[in-house]
Amino acid sequence: MTVGEQQTEAGNPPEVLDGPFSTRQLLRIDEALRLADQGTGLVFSVFVGGLDEPTREHAERLHRQLAEPDRSVLIAVSPNQRRLEIVTGRQARKRIPDTYAKLAALSMVAAFGGGDLAGGIIHGLDQLATHAGKG
């Protein structure tokens, strides 16, 4: 059963659809994640929501909770705080140095500033995966 098929009591849509993304945007982000994972052999994740201060430490805690943190890349976005953190694991950092992560972040921030949260995330995933190359 997919998120779109799942229903809660009284026929209300599931909570995930109450977020900042439409169903179409969620599907596009999911596809971008799948392509990044398959194309690189790394594991990409996206978190959108509030981050505790300091935001970098919170994003690093979230990254450590992933199934394979050494091979993982986490994009953590807090729209209300206007914060973006990209966290790379030990193996992922060898293929995506900080300079490339910063370039992807700049591109994402530009899209966010234009009101395109989903597009910024998708473009950032594509840039990070392109820099990482095939694994």
Side-chain angles (χ1 to χ4, degrees):
M1 179 180 306
T2 66
V3 169
E5 294 170 345
Q6 184 180 2
Q7 295 292 314
T8 58
E9 290 182 44
N12 293 328
E15 284 182 30
V16 71
L17 298 180
D18 292 337
F21 304 113
S22 68
T23 301
R24 182 165 188 239
Q25 289 171 323
L26 286 172
L27 291 172
R28 289 179 56 222
I29 292 169
D30 187 58
E31 177 71 1
L33 284 165
R34 186 184 65 74
L35 290 172
D37 288 357
Q38 288 179 346
T40 64
L42 299 174
V43 181
F44 288 81
S45 299
V46 173
F47 172 86
V48 178
L51 293 168
D52 297 335
E53 294 289 343
T55 57
R56 180 67 185 184
E57 288 179 17
H58 187 187
E60 289 171 347
R61 280 195 312 275
L62 292 171
H63 182 266
R64 284 192 299 271
Q65 294 173 8
L66 297 172
E68 299 180 72
D70 282 346
R71 291 184 338 109
S72 295
V73 177
L74 172 67
I75 297 172
V77 183
S78 179
N80 292 340
Q81 293 169 289
R82 301 177 65 93
R83 296 295 304 205
L84 167 66
E85 300 288 349
I86 299 174
V87 183
T88 53
R90 189 171 34 93
Q91 292 175 4
R93 193 171 307 115
K94 291 177 184 174
R95 296 175 49 200
I96 305 173
D98 287 347
T99 54
Y100 290 117
K102 287 177 184 176
L103 287 173
L106 287 172
S107 171
M108 293 171 71
V109 167
F112 298 162
D116 189 6
L117 183 60
I121 291 169
I122 292 164
H123 188 66
L125 283 165
D126 179 61
Q127 281 189 305
L128 292 168
T130 298
H131 288 303
K134 297 194 182 293

